[in-house]
Amino acid sequence: MEPTESMPAQTRPPGVATADPGSVLLPGHDVPLGRYTTVRRLLPQRTRRMVGAWCFVDHFGPDDVAQRPGMEVPPHPHTGLQTVTWLLDGEILHRDSLGSVQSIRPGQLNVMTSGHGIAHSERSPTVHPPLMHGLQLWVALPDPARAGAADFAHHAELPRWRDGDLDVTLLVGELAGERSPARVYTPLLGAQLALAGPGPVGLPLRRDFEYALLALDGAAEVDGVPLAPGALLWLGAGRDAFTVRGEPGTRLMLLGGTPFDEPLVMWWNFVGRSHEEIAAAREDWMAGRRFGVVAADPDPP
C-alpha cells in the first residue's frame, strides 16, 4: 500500500449516492497480495478512510486454486492494529512470532493483535480446498492498546441466529443482544448477513455508529441502492436501521463502529500516529528487532 498522510477519522463522506443521501458507493481496486493472490481493496480510499476503527478491508476471491498454491504470504510485520480474517471458502494456515500455528476454515475467525509489534505469515496448506474466498480486515488500535503486548486468538464458534429471512453470524462486537467472544478495543461491529429469502430484511442500528456494507456474493439492494459483489456501500452515521432486498443466498458483511478520533498514518503493514513512528517500525523490522521471528515458517521474511 502506498504511504498516506496523517488522516483524521471521517464522519461524513465527501460525496453521496443520489438514491440515498446518507450513503456512498465505493467500488474498490485490485491489488496483488503475495505471489499468487489478487485482492479487491475497499478501504482505505480517498473518499473514505475508515469505518469506525476498521481501517483496511481486502476482499479476495472466489478464486479457483485447485491447481495453484493459493495464498502465499511470507513472514511480514505489523504494529498498531488487529488483523481479522474471515473465510467463506478455502483454508489458510496462520503462523506468527508468538509461536501460534492455526488453520482457519469457513465460519471461523482469526484475530491477531499486533500491539507494539508482531510478525506472521498466511498460506494455503499444501493440500487445500479448490476455492478460496474471504476477507482480511484491519482494526486500528487506540492508545494505550497499540503499545501493548501482542496476542492471537482463534474462535471456532461464533454467535449465529436467524431473524426472519436473515441469517446472522456475529464476528466482533454486539448485535441484537448477542456478543462475540473476539476482544476489541473500541466500540465495533462486524457481522455476516445471509439472505434466506428475497426480503426486505433489516437490522436495528446504533445512531452513534457509522456503518458500511460489503457485498460478498449475490446481488442486493440496500435502501434502494444496488450493491454488486466486491463493492462497499458507506451507510453513514445517525441511522436507526436499514433494509436489504436480494436473491436468496446473497451474503453481505456489515461493518460498524464509533468514529475513530485518533489521527492515523498508515504505510505498508504499519499503523501509527506519525512519520517518525512508521520510520522507526521499518528500521526495527529491517534490523531484526521488535517483531520476533516466525520460526515455523520455512521462508525468509
Side-chain angles (χ1 to χ4, degrees), residues 79 146 270-282 290:
T79 186
R146 69 189 189 91
F270 306 132
V271 174
R273 299 296 184 272
S274 68
H275 168 80
E276 289 74 20
E277 276 188 31
I278 299 297
R282 181 187 184 280
R290 189 198 304 196

Side-chain angles (χ1 to χ4, degrees), residues 193-231:
L193 313 178
L195 299 184
V201 296
L203 284 173
L205 301 178
R206 288 178 49 168
R207 293 186 64 85
D208 60 327
F209 271 33
E210 50 190 15
Y211 291 95
L213 269 172
L214 166 63
L216 298 170
D217 49 22
E221 187 179 275
V222 182
D223 288 346
V225 179
L227 185 57

Side-chain angles (χ1 to χ4, degrees), residues 11 13 40 58 69 98 148 212 216 247:
T11 56
R40 284 173 296 284
D58 275 356
L98 298 175
L216 298 170
E247 303 167 353

Side-chain angles (χ1 to χ4, degrees), residues 120-145:
H120 75 140
S121 65
E122 296 163 294
R123 302 181 184 278
S124 298
T126 303
V127 179
H128 53 265
L131 289 179
M132 186 171 65
H133 186 195
L135 291 175
Q136 176 80 90
L137 311 106
W138 293 0
V139 179
L141 288 171
D143 288 323

Side-chain angles (χ1 to χ4, degrees), residues 1-213:
M1 184 172 60
E2 293 298 320
T4 66
E5 69 278 6
S6 177
M7 53 186 190
Q10 295 178 334
T11 56
R12 292 180 61 86
V16 296
T18 55
D20 184 349
S23 66
V24 60
L25 193 63
L26 305 173
H29 59 281
D30 289 349
V31 177
L33 179 69
R35 299 173 187 170
Y36 303 103
T37 304
T38 297
V39 302
R40 284 173 296 284
R41 184 147 299 158
L42 295 154
L43 285 180
Q45 295 193 36
R46 291 185 184 276
T47 54
R48 172 53 42 189
R49 300 289 192 177
M50 303 177 71
V51 178
W54 300 103
C55 63
F56 184 93
V57 178
D58 275 356
H59 177 212
F60 53 89
D63 292 329
D64 183 351
V65 295
Q67 304 300 321
R68 295 190 289 148
M71 184 169 288
E72 287 288 321
V73 183
H76 58 281
H78 287 295
T79 186
L81 57 88
Q82 290 178 295
T83 63
V84 177
T85 305
W86 179 253
L87 289 182
L88 291 88
D89 292 290
E91 181 178 356
I92 295 175
L93 182 61
H94 165 99
R95 297 182 176 96
D96 64 39
S97 53
L98 298 175
S100 312
V101 179
Q102 177 66 58
S103 285
I104 180 173
R105 298 177 178 88
Q108 302 176 348
L109 186 71
N110 277 0
V111 179
M112 185 183 74
T113 303
S114 72
H116 188 55
I118 195 171
H120 75 140
S121 65
E122 296 163 294
R123 302 181 184 278
S124 298
T126 303
V127 179
H128 53 265
L131 289 179
M132 186 171 65
H133 186 195
L135 291 175
Q136 176 80 90
L137 311 106
W138 293 0
V139 179
L141 288 171
D143 288 323
R146 69 189 189 91
D151 183 61
F152 174 78
H154 173 77
H155 302 286
E157 298 293 333
L158 295 167
R160 291 178 168 86
W161 67 93
R162 173 165 286 193
D163 183 356
D165 281 341
L166 192 64
D167 289 322
V168 182
T169 303
L170 183 59
L171 280 64
V172 302
E174 299 180 36
L175 184 64
E178 299 285 347
R179 175 180 292 181
S180 165
R183 185 178 182 184
V184 292
Y185 295 85
T186 57
L188 205 65
L189 174 68
Q192 179 181 281
L193 313 178
L195 299 184
V201 296
L203 284 173
L205 301 178
R206 288 178 49 168
R207 293 186 64 85
D208 60 327
F209 271 33
E210 50 190 15
Y211 291 95
L213 269 172

